[in-house]
Amino acid sequence: MTSTIGRVLRDRDAHLYLGAVVVSGFGTSALWLACGIWVKELTGSDGLAALCQFALWAPTLIGPPLGTLADRVRRRPLLVAVNLALGVLLLSLFAVDGTGGLWVLFAVLLLYGACGVVTDAAEAALVPIAVGKEVLGDLNGLRMSANEGMKLVAPLAGAGLFAACGGAGVALLDAVTFVLAAGMYALLRVREAAPVRERASLWARTAEGARYLWGHARLRPLVVAGGLTMLSSGVGGAAIYAIVERLGHAPAYSGVLYAVQGAGSVAVGVASGALLRRFGARRFGGTGIALTGAAAALSALPSDAAALAGSFANGVGLPCVLIAGLTAVQRETPGALLGRVAATANTVMFTPTALGIAAGATLVECVDLRVLLPVLAGARLLIAAPLLLRRPAAARAPGA
């Protein structure tokens, strides 16, 4: 494992790519928290503050057509252009100085989220060309570790900078991180073939990617399992404050549980490449989902130690199926389709989170945690079962 990770980190293009992920991820994590604080201070409304995160997430609902855009041009120039555009876009937040400017803030967040969908699709398509498919598991795991690591420190930095300089200061920081990321992408030594011009409509090209994903017997189970797991994670996330209250702690204790969960995700990200090679995508993803089932069962116990262990187990298990799914998509999708297929897979895997949060917010009010969490644990084991018990099917031909 160490030698393979060392190989990835010594690779110039992998090093630049991870650097771009780290700096832009830092800015993004700082901004999403600062924007919520900003809106709360301007309006006093918890609901409007919560809409900041929704505005960033909402564009994933149209992920497939946005991902199709990444298949129409060379991906490296696209990443450079979009990151520079985000850097300029964020400067418009300097115009937000009262409630009258909130529309600017929400418009920026929506565009920000849409650009994030496009860049995720472009990255997924570019990375196999830049570093080779044999180390994709390691690179995707390190990317997950980098993202989770940023979530541990960047929100605190964003909140501190907001207190010192206001929202415009955080926006400027994020703009600088995107300019730095654009520079790193520009330095990648990647030779991309010119994309084939397709006369079909945007929707026809988008549908082609969806058909490929759904018709692929090895990709479909992983992506569907990822979506169901994220649905369950939304339910579990909605219950965290009830768990904290039952333990007798203040709501701020949820930050401790999230930090422990993040530490678990960082740890599994580093090891994911070796685990993927050892167990294969299905068993790696299925084992991770089963581990989140154990995490829900632990969280049902009225004990601080069990809650902390459950949070760590959830942090370890949850990324497994996501890393397995993305890596499989990158390895088994033709380059011409990869942007739209990756975006479609991301939509299927991540959109259910919001539905789970909404369902969990209702369930936690009317179902006792001693019932809800064991049921959630059982549901996760059922999601994991097809990946662990069935042999991988042969993939159908592309376009089937």
Side-chain angles (χ1 to χ4, degrees):
M1 178 181 74
T2 304
S3 60
T4 308
I5 291 178
R7 175 186 167 190
V8 172
L9 294 177
R10 287 192 299 271
D11 184 278
R12 179 182 180 277
D13 286 337
H15 195 267
L16 287 168
Y17 167 69
L18 289 172
V21 168
V22 168
V23 295
S24 62
F26 181 89
T28 298
S29 295
L31 184 75
W32 75 259
L33 179 61
C35 282
I37 299 171
W38 199 355
V39 171
K40 174 68 175 177
E41 286 197 355
L42 288 175
T43 67
S45 169
D46 292 326
L48 285 175
L51 279 179
C52 291
Q53 190 170 0
F54 177 78
L56 283 170
W57 166 87
T60 61
L61 292 170
I62 55 170
L66 289 174
T68 301
L69 299 177
D71 288 334
R72 300 198 66 182
V73 297
R74 288 185 174 92
R75 282 70 176 246
R76 185 176 68 90
L78 176 64
L79 285 167
V80 173
V82 172
N83 277 274
L84 289 175
L86 279 168
V88 174
L89 175 69
L90 284 163
L91 298 181
S92 63
L93 293 181
F94 279 79
V96 180
D97 57 0
T99 56
L102 283 181
W103 71 269
V104 176
L105 175 60
F106 283 108
V108 167
L109 291 177
L110 283 169
L111 289 171
Y112 192 112
C115 288
V117 174
V118 174
T119 56
D120 283 347
E123 286 175 3
L126 182 66
V127 165
I129 303 172
V131 302
K133 294 187 176 183
E134 64 276 7
V135 295
L136 282 175
D138 298 278
L139 191 63
N140 289 332
L142 290 172
R143 184 183 191 277
M144 177 70 72
S145 293
N147 278 332
E148 293 301 322
M150 288 303 99
K151 290 177 185 177
L152 294 176
V153 297
L156 294 177
L161 185 60
F162 179 87
C165 305
V170 182
L172 180 60
L173 168 68
D174 199 13
V176 170
T177 66
F178 279 116
V179 172
L180 291 174
M184 293 180 187
Y185 285 125
L187 292 173
L188 291 173
R189 295 172 180 169
V190 179
R191 292 184 178 181
E192 295 183 82
V196 177
R197 292 293 178 185
E198 302 179 54
R199 294 184 179 180
S201 68
L202 173 66
W203 296 110
R205 294 193 301 272
T206 301
E208 185 182 5
R211 283 196 302 270
Y212 180 89
L213 179 64
W214 194 252
H216 199 295
R218 288 196 294 271
L219 298 182
R220 184 179 64 248
L222 278 169
V223 172
V224 170
L228 292 173
T229 302
M230 294 306 291
L231 176 69
S232 77
S233 79
V235 175
I240 189 168
Y241 293 108
I243 293 171
V244 168
E245 182 180 4
R246 189 178 61 161
L247 293 173
H249 296 294
Y253 187 75
S254 61
V256 176
L257 298 181
Y258 278 127
V260 172
Q261 179 174 323
S265 296
V266 170
V268 78
V270 174
S272 62
L275 294 173
L276 271 170
R277 284 187 292 274
R278 174 68 178 84
F279 298 107
R282 289 176 67 99
R283 282 196 293 167
F284 176 60
T287 302
I289 299 170
L291 191 56
T292 67
L298 284 169
S299 298
L301 301 176
S303 159
D304 278 25
L308 291 169
S311 293
F312 186 80
N314 200 50
V316 171
L318 194 58
C320 294
V321 70
L322 305 178
I323 294 171
L326 175 59
T327 303
V329 165
Q330 290 173 310
R331 285 175 173 165
E332 304 203 25
T333 304
L337 292 173
L338 188 45
R340 70 198 87 168
V341 173
T344 302
N346 283 339
T347 296
V348 173
M349 289 194 290
F350 291 107
T351 300
T353 307
L355 300 176
I357 292 172
T362 302
L363 290 171
V364 77
E365 294 291 338
C366 57
V367 180
D368 193 291
L369 285 179
R370 291 172 294 182
V371 176
L372 178 60
L373 292 175
V375 169
L376 187 62
R380 290 175 175 178
L381 292 177
L382 289 176
I383 296 168
L387 297 182
L388 294 173
L389 300 180
R390 295 179 189 171
R391 292 184 178 182
R396 293 170 62 185

